[in-house]
């Protein structure tokens, strides 16, 4: 490997060891000797709202850790409509299918300004072969994909529209220490919950009128107890 790439890879490893969300990410359990096996640079990427990280069927070279912000995974339908199949938040791994050498299954698009770490699949394969510390985190990431898929099926696409919107708001409010969370557009909410944009708009307006939901400059706030009564 060229000297400048060695330097970049080493700097990337050092950043991983010092990462402020280290306990949430794929490399949480790695030890010093594991980081020494990283041979390719781990690049920080800043995505603007609406920017595409990767596209469906694109050849997989990297997986991506979400450091901040939010990513939507989108599947476009033959009729021109789209479905949001999953939301990725801080600590989540995007493009996990690349670890099976499969093309990316979705379009990954930033819902808001988002910080990403780009990790070469080659390095993960190398670590997985020579280090016992990565297996636990890889297993946890696959489990989370399955768990999120179950949530999408059981809570976001079943029941009446009002229940679906309430479940989504409760989900988005989780794990936010300042109690504010990003509220997707009505179009994205419709694509995620299998309802129309108009229905999503009507229910959000009703929740705001009833003071179940407040939308402020910092983000959205909900009355958890009232929304739980709906679900």
């Amino acid at each position: 490997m060229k000297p400048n790439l060695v330097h970049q890879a080493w700097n990337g490893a050092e950043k991983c060891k010092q990462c402020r969300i280290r306990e949430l990410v794929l490399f949480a359990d790695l030890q010093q000797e594991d980081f020494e096996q990283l041979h390719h640079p781990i690049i920080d990427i800043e995505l603007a709202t609406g920017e595409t990280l990767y596209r469906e069927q694109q050849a997989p070279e990297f997986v991506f850790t979400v450091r901040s912000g939010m990513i939507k995974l989108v599947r476009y339908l033959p009729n021109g409509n789209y479905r949001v199949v999953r939301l990725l938040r801080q600590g989540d791994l995007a493009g996990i299918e690349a670890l099976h050498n499969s093309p990316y299954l979705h379009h990954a698009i930033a819902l808001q300004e988002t910080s990403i770490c780009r990790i070469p699949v080659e390095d993960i394969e190398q670590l997985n072969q020579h280090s016992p510390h990565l297996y636990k985190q890889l297993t946890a990431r696959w489990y989370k994909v399955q768990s999120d898929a179950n949530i999408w099926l059981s809570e976001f696409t079943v029941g009446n529209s009002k229940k679906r919107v309430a479940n989504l708001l409760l989900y988005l409010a989780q794990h936010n220490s300042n109690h504010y969370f990003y509220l997707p557009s009505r179009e994205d909410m419709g694509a995620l919950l299998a309802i129309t944009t108009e229905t999503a708009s009507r229910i959000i307006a009703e929740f705001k009128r009833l003071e179940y939901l407040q939308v402020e400059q910092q983000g959205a706030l909900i009355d958890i107890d009232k929304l739980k009564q709906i679900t």
Side-chain angles (χ1 to χ4, degrees), residues 185-200:
S185 70
R186 310 300 181 265
E187 186 178 15
D188 280 339
M189 291 177 69
L192 196 154
L193 300 173
I195 61 178
T196 65
T197 300
E198 293 74 19
T199 297

Side-chain angles (χ1 to χ4, degrees), residues 72-75 82-87 152 188 191-192:
K72 63 179 178 179
L73 299 184
V74 175
R75 175 69 58 84
Y82 70 96
R83 289 295 310 275
V84 177
V85 300
R86 193 175 169 216
L87 299 178
W152 252 243
D188 280 339
L192 196 154

Side-chain angles (χ1 to χ4, degrees), residues 84-104:
V84 177
V85 300
R86 193 175 169 216
L87 299 178
L88 304 179
R89 299 184 289 185
Q90 187 181 70
D92 284 338
L93 196 66
I96 193 170
E97 59 270 26
L99 300 180
H100 278 175
N101 200 32
S102 298
Y104 295 122

Side-chain angles (χ1 to χ4, degrees), residues 36-54:
E36 291 172 358
Q37 297 186 51
L38 297 178
H39 299 305
H40 300 86
I42 295 172
I43 303 298
D44 293 340
I45 299 174
E46 300 294 328
L47 298 177
T49 301
E51 190 172 352
T52 298
L53 178 62
Y54 57 80

Side-chain angles (χ1 to χ4, degrees), residues 146-198:
Q146 183 62 48
S147 176
D148 281 357
N150 290 337
I151 290 173
W152 252 243
L153 289 173
S154 63
E155 297 184 12
F156 297 157
T157 59
V158 175
N160 62 53
S161 300
K162 192 175 295 186
K163 178 179 178 180
R164 297 184 196 186
V165 174
N167 278 328
L168 176 61
L169 295 177
L170 289 166
Y171 175 82
L172 291 171
Q174 292 176 355
H175 313 302
N176 285 277
S177 57
N178 63 357
H179 305 296
Y180 288 98
F181 61 91
Y182 172 80
L183 186 67
S185 70
R186 310 300 181 265
E187 186 178 15
D188 280 339
M189 291 177 69
L192 196 154
L193 300 173
I195 61 178
T196 65
T197 300
E198 293 74 19

